[in-house]
mmCIF file of all heavy atoms in Angstrom:
data_model
loop_
_atom_site.group_PDB
_atom_site.id
_atom_site.type_symbol
_atom_site.label_atom_id
_atom_site.label_comp_id
_atom_site.label_asym_id
_atom_site.label_seq_id
_atom_site.Cartn_x
_atom_site.Cartn_y
_atom_site.Cartn_z
ATOM 1 N N VAL S 1 0.860 -1.166 0.000
ATOM 2 C CA VAL S 1 0.000 0.000 0.000
ATOM 3 C C VAL S 1 0.904 1.225 0.000
ATOM 4 O O VAL S 1 1.791 1.340 0.850
ATOM 5 C CB VAL S 1 -0.913 0.023 1.253
ATOM 6 C CG1 VAL S 1 -1.756 1.277 1.294
ATOM 7 C CG2 VAL S 1 -1.787 -1.221 1.308
ATOM 8 N N SER S 2 0.695 2.134 -0.938
ATOM 9 C CA SER S 2 1.496 3.356 -0.998
ATOM 10 C C SER S 2 0.863 4.426 -0.123
ATOM 11 O O SER S 2 -0.318 4.734 -0.261
ATOM 12 C CB SER S 2 1.584 3.869 -2.435
ATOM 13 O OG SER S 2 2.277 2.941 -3.233
ATOM 14 N N VAL S 3 1.660 4.980 0.795
ATOM 15 C CA VAL S 3 1.217 6.057 1.673
ATOM 16 C C VAL S 3 2.300 7.132 1.692
ATOM 17 O O VAL S 3 3.402 6.923 1.189
ATOM 18 C CB VAL S 3 0.925 5.563 3.114
ATOM 19 C CG1 VAL S 3 -0.154 4.489 3.118
ATOM 20 C CG2 VAL S 3 2.180 5.048 3.790
ATOM 21 N N THR S 4 1.979 8.262 2.290
ATOM 22 C CA THR S 4 2.947 9.334 2.468
ATOM 23 C C THR S 4 3.155 9.520 3.959
ATOM 24 O O THR S 4 2.197 9.656 4.710
ATOM 25 C CB THR S 4 2.433 10.648 1.835
ATOM 26 O OG1 THR S 4 2.172 10.419 0.459
ATOM 27 C CG2 THR S 4 3.454 11.757 1.974
ATOM 28 N N LEU S 5 4.413 9.514 4.388
ATOM 29 C CA LEU S 5 4.762 9.700 5.791
ATOM 30 C C LEU S 5 5.657 10.922 5.903
ATOM 31 O O LEU S 5 6.752 10.937 5.347
ATOM 32 C CB LEU S 5 5.468 8.461 6.342
ATOM 33 C CG LEU S 5 6.013 8.573 7.762
ATOM 34 C CD1 LEU S 5 4.881 8.831 8.763
ATOM 35 C CD2 LEU S 5 6.766 7.316 8.144
ATOM 36 N N ASN S 6 5.151 11.933 6.591
ATOM 37 C CA ASN S 6 5.893 13.193 6.743
ATOM 38 C C ASN S 6 6.394 13.717 5.399
ATOM 39 O O ASN S 6 7.528 14.159 5.267
ATOM 40 C CB ASN S 6 7.046 13.028 7.726
ATOM 41 C CG ASN S 6 6.558 12.750 9.130
ATOM 42 O OD1 ASN S 6 5.503 13.221 9.546
ATOM 43 N ND2 ASN S 6 7.318 11.972 9.874
ATOM 44 N N GLY S 7 5.528 13.620 4.388
ATOM 45 C CA GLY S 7 5.825 14.150 3.063
ATOM 46 C C GLY S 7 6.635 13.239 2.162
ATOM 47 O O GLY S 7 6.889 13.582 1.012
ATOM 48 N N GLN S 8 7.017 12.050 2.658
ATOM 49 C CA GLN S 8 7.827 11.120 1.867
ATOM 50 C C GLN S 8 7.000 9.878 1.507
ATOM 51 O O GLN S 8 6.337 9.307 2.378
ATOM 52 C CB GLN S 8 9.061 10.680 2.659
ATOM 53 C CG GLN S 8 9.969 11.831 3.046
ATOM 54 C CD GLN S 8 10.547 12.526 1.825
ATOM 55 O OE1 GLN S 8 10.990 11.894 0.877
ATOM 56 N NE2 GLN S 8 10.515 13.859 1.846
ATOM 57 N N PRO S 9 7.050 9.435 0.262
ATOM 58 C CA PRO S 9 6.323 8.212 -0.100
ATOM 59 C C PRO S 9 6.973 6.985 0.535
ATOM 60 O O PRO S 9 8.203 6.871 0.548
ATOM 61 C CB PRO S 9 6.428 8.171 -1.622
ATOM 62 C CG PRO S 9 7.606 9.016 -1.960
ATOM 63 C CD PRO S 9 7.758 10.027 -0.866
ATOM 64 N N VAL S 10 6.153 6.104 1.089
ATOM 65 C CA VAL S 10 6.636 4.847 1.661
ATOM 66 C C VAL S 10 5.652 3.744 1.295
ATOM 67 O O VAL S 10 4.499 4.001 0.974
ATOM 68 C CB VAL S 10 6.818 4.907 3.201
ATOM 69 C CG1 VAL S 10 7.896 5.899 3.591
ATOM 70 C CG2 VAL S 10 5.518 5.246 3.882
ATOM 71 N N GLU S 11 6.133 2.523 1.356
ATOM 72 C CA GLU S 11 5.287 1.353 1.112
ATOM 73 C C GLU S 11 4.964 0.682 2.439
ATOM 74 O O GLU S 11 5.852 0.454 3.260
ATOM 75 C CB GLU S 11 5.989 0.360 0.191
ATOM 76 C CG GLU S 11 6.043 0.784 -1.258
ATOM 77 C CD GLU S 11 4.667 0.850 -1.911
ATOM 78 O OE1 GLU S 11 3.865 -0.097 -1.742
ATOM 79 O OE2 GLU S 11 4.396 1.847 -2.596
ATOM 80 N N ALA S 12 3.713 0.372 2.630
ATOM 81 C CA ALA S 12 3.251 -0.354 3.811
ATOM 82 C C ALA S 12 2.644 -1.667 3.341
ATOM 83 O O ALA S 12 2.425 -1.877 2.145
ATOM 84 C CB ALA S 12 2.207 0.478 4.559
ATOM 85 N N GLN S 13 2.372 -2.533 4.284
ATOM 86 C CA GLN S 13 1.711 -3.794 3.969
ATOM 87 C C GLN S 13 0.208 -3.653 4.190
ATOM 88 O O GLN S 13 -0.223 -3.043 5.170
ATOM 89 C CB GLN S 13 2.250 -4.919 4.857
ATOM 90 C CG GLN S 13 3.699 -5.245 4.604
ATOM 91 C CD GLN S 13 3.931 -5.752 3.194
ATOM 92 O OE1 GLN S 13 3.191 -6.571 2.685
ATOM 93 N NE2 GLN S 13 4.972 -5.248 2.565
ATOM 94 N N GLU S 14 -0.570 -4.226 3.306
ATOM 95 C CA GLU S 14 -2.017 -4.217 3.466
ATOM 96 C C GLU S 14 -2.382 -4.845 4.817
ATOM 97 O O GLU S 14 -1.838 -5.877 5.199
ATOM 98 C CB GLU S 14 -2.668 -5.021 2.334
ATOM 99 C CG GLU S 14 -4.164 -4.989 2.339
ATOM 100 C CD GLU S 14 -4.756 -5.750 1.165
ATOM 101 O OE1 GLU S 14 -4.010 -6.118 0.231
ATOM 102 O OE2 GLU S 14 -5.962 -5.987 1.198
ATOM 103 N N GLY S 15 -3.242 -4.187 5.579
ATOM 104 C CA GLY S 15 -3.652 -4.682 6.889
ATOM 105 C C GLY S 15 -2.764 -4.210 8.031
ATOM 106 O O GLY S 15 -3.081 -4.408 9.197
ATOM 107 N N GLN S 16 -1.654 -3.565 7.711
ATOM 108 C CA GLN S 16 -0.727 -3.069 8.725
ATOM 109 C C GLN S 16 -1.302 -1.815 9.373
ATOM 110 O O GLN S 16 -1.938 -0.996 8.713
ATOM 111 C CB GLN S 16 0.609 -2.751 8.053
ATOM 112 C CG GLN S 16 1.726 -2.367 8.969
ATOM 113 C CD GLN S 16 3.036 -2.178 8.197
ATOM 114 O OE1 GLN S 16 3.046 -1.705 7.061
ATOM 115 N NE2 GLN S 16 4.133 -2.565 8.807
ATOM 116 N N THR S 17 -1.077 -1.665 10.671
ATOM 117 C CA THR S 17 -1.500 -0.433 11.320
ATOM 118 C C THR S 17 -0.472 0.663 11.044
ATOM 119 O O THR S 17 0.671 0.385 10.682
ATOM 120 C CB THR S 17 -1.637 -0.603 12.845
ATOM 121 O OG1 THR S 17 -0.358 -0.911 13.399
ATOM 122 C CG2 THR S 17 -2.666 -1.673 13.200
ATOM 123 N N VAL S 18 -0.895 1.887 11.256
ATOM 124 C CA VAL S 18 0.028 3.007 11.111
ATOM 125 C C VAL S 18 1.184 2.845 12.101
ATOM 126 O O VAL S 18 2.340 3.073 11.763
ATOM 127 C CB VAL S 18 -0.707 4.347 11.309
ATOM 128 C CG1 VAL S 18 0.270 5.510 11.345
ATOM 129 C CG2 VAL S 18 -1.752 4.555 10.209
ATOM 130 N N ALA S 19 0.884 2.433 13.319
ATOM 131 C CA ALA S 19 1.942 2.204 14.322
ATOM 132 C C ALA S 19 2.909 1.128 13.853
ATOM 133 O O ALA S 19 4.127 1.262 14.017
ATOM 134 C CB ALA S 19 1.336 1.816 15.666
ATOM 135 N N GLY S 20 2.403 0.063 13.280
ATOM 136 C CA GLY S 20 3.266 -1.001 12.753
ATOM 137 C C GLY S 20 4.171 -0.493 11.661
ATOM 138 O O GLY S 20 5.354 -0.839 11.602
ATOM 139 N N LEU S 21 3.635 0.347 10.792
ATOM 140 C CA LEU S 21 4.445 0.952 9.740
ATOM 141 C C LEU S 21 5.537 1.819 10.347
ATOM 142 O O LEU S 21 6.704 1.705 9.978
ATOM 143 C CB LEU S 21 3.564 1.792 8.809
ATOM 144 C CG LEU S 21 4.313 2.661 7.800
ATOM 145 C CD1 LEU S 21 5.116 1.805 6.829
ATOM 146 C CD2 LEU S 21 3.344 3.575 7.082
ATOM 147 N N LEU S 22 5.165 2.672 11.297
ATOM 148 C CA LEU S 22 6.143 3.562 11.922
ATOM 149 C C LEU S 22 7.256 2.764 12.601
ATOM 150 O O LEU S 22 8.443 3.085 12.445
ATOM 151 C CB LEU S 22 5.452 4.484 12.920
ATOM 152 C CG LEU S 22 4.495 5.506 12.308
ATOM 153 C CD1 LEU S 22 3.688 6.196 13.399
ATOM 154 C CD2 LEU S 22 5.236 6.513 11.471
ATOM 155 N N LEU S 23 6.881 1.740 13.333
ATOM 156 C CA LEU S 23 7.891 0.928 14.008
ATOM 157 C C LEU S 23 8.801 0.218 13.008
ATOM 158 O O LEU S 23 10.006 0.110 13.225
ATOM 159 C CB LEU S 23 7.236 -0.079 14.944
ATOM 160 C CG LEU S 23 6.659 0.506 16.233
ATOM 161 C CD1 LEU S 23 5.882 -0.555 16.996
ATOM 162 C CD2 LEU S 23 7.760 1.091 17.094
ATOM 163 N N SER S 24 8.216 -0.274 11.909
ATOM 164 C CA SER S 24 9.028 -0.971 10.906
ATOM 165 C C SER S 24 10.038 -0.041 10.247
ATOM 166 O O SER S 24 11.056 -0.486 9.745
ATOM 167 C CB SER S 24 8.135 -1.626 9.845
ATOM 168 O OG SER S 24 7.585 -0.649 8.965
ATOM 169 N N LEU S 25 9.751 1.265 10.277
ATOM 170 C CA LEU S 25 10.655 2.260 9.694
ATOM 171 C C LEU S 25 11.569 2.892 10.735
ATOM 172 O O LEU S 25 12.317 3.816 10.429
ATOM 173 C CB LEU S 25 9.831 3.349 8.996
ATOM 174 C CG LEU S 25 9.001 2.891 7.805
ATOM 175 C CD1 LEU S 25 8.093 4.013 7.322
ATOM 176 C CD2 LEU S 25 9.895 2.396 6.684
ATOM 177 N N GLY S 26 11.480 2.409 11.980
ATOM 178 C CA GLY S 26 12.320 2.944 13.046
ATOM 179 C C GLY S 26 11.836 4.275 13.589
ATOM 180 O O GLY S 26 12.559 4.966 14.294
ATOM 181 N N GLN S 27 10.608 4.654 13.262
ATOM 182 C CA GLN S 27 10.028 5.923 13.720
ATOM 183 C C GLN S 27 9.376 5.686 15.073
ATOM 184 O O GLN S 27 8.358 5.020 15.173
ATOM 185 C CB GLN S 27 8.982 6.400 12.706
ATOM 186 C CG GLN S 27 8.323 7.689 13.056
ATOM 187 C CD GLN S 27 9.145 8.886 12.652
ATOM 188 O OE1 GLN S 27 9.964 8.812 11.756
ATOM 189 N NE2 GLN S 27 8.933 9.983 13.314
ATOM 190 N N ASN S 28 9.947 6.225 16.139
ATOM 191 C CA ASN S 28 9.465 5.947 17.488
ATOM 192 C C ASN S 28 8.948 7.183 18.208
ATOM 193 O O ASN S 28 8.139 7.082 19.107
ATOM 194 C CB ASN S 28 10.587 5.300 18.307
ATOM 195 C CG ASN S 28 10.070 4.558 19.504
ATOM 196 O OD1 ASN S 28 8.881 4.378 19.667
ATOM 197 N ND2 ASN S 28 10.968 4.130 20.356
ATOM 198 N N ASN S 29 9.391 8.378 17.817
ATOM 199 C CA ASN S 29 8.932 9.607 18.452
ATOM 200 C C ASN S 29 7.756 10.161 17.667
ATOM 201 O O ASN S 29 7.898 10.522 16.515
ATOM 202 C CB ASN S 29 10.055 10.645 18.498
ATOM 203 C CG ASN S 29 11.220 10.161 19.313
ATOM 204 O OD1 ASN S 29 11.050 9.392 20.259
ATOM 205 N ND2 ASN S 29 12.408 10.584 18.960
ATOM 206 N N LEU S 30 6.599 10.218 18.325
ATOM 207 C CA LEU S 30 5.389 10.564 17.586
ATOM 208 C C LEU S 30 4.825 11.934 17.891
ATOM 209 O O LEU S 30 4.223 12.556 17.042
ATOM 210 C CB LEU S 30 4.303 9.522 17.868
ATOM 211 C CG LEU S 30 4.649 8.112 17.424
ATOM 212 C CD1 LEU S 30 3.500 7.187 17.722
ATOM 213 C CD2 LEU S 30 4.971 8.088 15.952
ATOM 214 N N PHE S 31 4.927 12.414 19.100
ATOM 215 C CA PHE S 31 4.238 13.641 19.465
ATOM 216 C C PHE S 31 5.032 14.364 20.529
ATOM 217 O O PHE S 31 5.425 13.777 21.522
ATOM 218 C CB PHE S 31 2.838 13.306 19.995
ATOM 219 C CG PHE S 31 2.009 14.510 20.342
ATOM 220 C CD1 PHE S 31 1.212 15.107 19.390
ATOM 221 C CD2 PHE S 31 2.018 15.027 21.621
ATOM 222 C CE1 PHE S 31 0.451 16.209 19.714
ATOM 223 C CE2 PHE S 31 1.255 16.128 21.952
ATOM 224 C CZ PHE S 31 0.459 16.720 20.993
ATOM 225 N N HIS S 32 5.261 15.647 20.328
ATOM 226 C CA HIS S 32 5.996 16.448 21.307
ATOM 227 C C HIS S 32 4.989 17.221 22.149
ATOM 228 O O HIS S 32 4.276 18.078 21.639
ATOM 229 C CB HIS S 32 6.947 17.407 20.600
ATOM 230 C CG HIS S 32 7.780 18.206 21.536
ATOM 231 N ND1 HIS S 32 7.468 19.485 21.889
ATOM 232 C CD2 HIS S 32 8.903 17.887 22.224
ATOM 233 C CE1 HIS S 32 8.364 19.938 22.729
ATOM 234 N NE2 HIS S 32 9.246 18.985 22.948
ATOM 235 N N ALA S 33 4.914 16.898 23.435
ATOM 236 C CA ALA S 33 4.042 17.607 24.367
ATOM 237 C C ALA S 33 4.838 18.782 24.926
ATOM 238 O O ALA S 33 5.554 18.658 25.916
ATOM 239 C CB ALA S 33 3.574 16.672 25.477
ATOM 240 N N SER S 34 4.745 19.931 24.265
ATOM 241 C CA SER S 34 5.615 21.062 24.585
ATOM 242 C C SER S 34 5.412 21.591 25.995
ATOM 243 O O SER S 34 6.356 22.078 26.615
ATOM 244 C CB SER S 34 5.419 22.187 23.572
ATOM 245 O OG SER S 34 4.077 22.620 23.573
ATOM 246 N N GLU S 35 4.195 21.491 26.524
ATOM 247 C CA GLU S 35 3.964 22.022 27.866
ATOM 248 C C GLU S 35 4.743 21.255 28.930
ATOM 249 O O GLU S 35 4.990 21.758 30.016
ATOM 250 C CB GLU S 35 2.461 22.034 28.211
ATOM 251 C CG GLU S 35 1.798 20.671 28.297
ATOM 252 C CD GLU S 35 1.302 20.129 26.968
ATOM 253 O OE1 GLU S 35 1.737 20.608 25.904
ATOM 254 O OE2 GLU S 35 0.474 19.216 26.985
ATOM 255 N N TYR S 36 5.138 20.032 28.636
ATOM 256 C CA TYR S 36 5.918 19.224 29.569
ATOM 257 C C TYR S 36 7.324 18.922 29.044
ATOM 258 O O TYR S 36 8.102 18.242 29.693
ATOM 259 C CB TYR S 36 5.203 17.904 29.878
ATOM 260 C CG TYR S 36 3.824 18.089 30.431
ATOM 261 C CD1 TYR S 36 2.707 17.750 29.678
ATOM 262 C CD2 TYR S 36 3.627 18.622 31.699
ATOM 263 C CE1 TYR S 36 1.434 17.927 30.177
ATOM 264 C CE2 TYR S 36 2.358 18.806 32.209
ATOM 265 C CZ TYR S 36 1.270 18.459 31.441
ATOM 266 O OH TYR S 36 0.007 18.647 31.933
ATOM 267 N N ASN S 37 7.628 19.401 27.823
ATOM 268 C CA ASN S 37 8.889 19.130 27.159
ATOM 269 C C ASN S 37 9.174 17.628 27.072
ATOM 270 O O ASN S 37 10.273 17.166 27.363
ATOM 271 C CB ASN S 37 10.054 19.868 27.829
ATOM 272 C CG ASN S 37 11.251 19.953 26.899
ATOM 273 O OD1 ASN S 37 11.088 19.968 25.683
ATOM 274 N ND2 ASN S 37 12.436 19.988 27.454
ATOM 275 N N LEU S 38 8.157 16.866 26.685
ATOM 276 C CA LEU S 38 8.267 15.414 26.560
ATOM 277 C C LEU S 38 7.971 14.989 25.132
ATOM 278 O O LEU S 38 7.159 15.610 24.453
ATOM 279 C CB LEU S 38 7.265 14.714 27.484
ATOM 280 C CG LEU S 38 7.416 14.942 28.981
ATOM 281 C CD1 LEU S 38 6.231 14.319 29.715
ATOM 282 C CD2 LEU S 38 8.716 14.335 29.465
ATOM 283 N N VAL S 39 8.616 13.936 24.688
ATOM 284 C CA VAL S 39 8.278 13.319 23.413
ATOM 285 C C VAL S 39 7.555 12.018 23.718
ATOM 286 O O VAL S 39 8.045 11.190 24.475
ATOM 287 C CB VAL S 39 9.536 13.053 22.567
ATOM 288 C CG1 VAL S 39 9.164 12.337 21.282
ATOM 289 C CG2 VAL S 39 10.240 14.358 22.247
ATOM 290 N N ARG S 40 6.358 11.876 23.160
ATOM 291 C CA ARG S 40 5.577 10.676 23.422
ATOM 292 C C ARG S 40 5.833 9.622 22.358
ATOM 293 O O ARG S 40 6.130 9.929 21.222
ATOM 294 C CB ARG S 40 4.083 11.013 23.458
ATOM 295 C CG ARG S 40 3.749 11.946 24.580
ATOM 296 C CD ARG S 40 2.291 12.039 24.831
ATOM 297 N NE ARG S 40 1.544 12.531 23.686
ATOM 298 C CZ ARG S 40 0.319 13.022 23.794
ATOM 299 N NH1 ARG S 40 -0.266 13.096 24.966
ATOM 300 N NH2 ARG S 40 -0.323 13.433 22.737
ATOM 301 N N SER S 41 5.664 8.382 22.750
ATOM 302 C CA SER S 41 5.852 7.266 21.851
ATOM 303 C C SER S 41 4.729 6.260 22.102
ATOM 304 O O SER S 41 3.736 6.591 22.724
ATOM 305 C CB SER S 41 7.225 6.631 22.102
ATOM 306 O OG SER S 41 7.460 5.632 21.150
#
């Protein structure tokens, strides 16, 4: 399945979750909570 991740084209597997795709690409930092200066995963 062709998707775009942060503006870059990537291939995912049909039935894969977005989290599964991110983990397979080594993408672990998902959201910066600026009020606490934390990066969530």
Side-chain angles (χ1 to χ4, degrees):
V1 177
S2 295
V3 301
T4 302
L5 174 62
N6 294 328
Q8 300 297 316
V10 296
E11 286 294 314
Q13 294 297 316
E14 185 178 348
Q16 186 176 35
T17 63
V18 172
L21 170 63
L22 293 170
L23 286 173
S24 74
L25 296 172
Q27 180 83 24
N28 200 9
N29 298 330
L30 298 181
F31 183 89
H32 183 262
S34 59
E35 65 274 18
Y36 303 110
N37 198 29
L38 298 173
V39 177
R40 296 193 299 198
S41 186

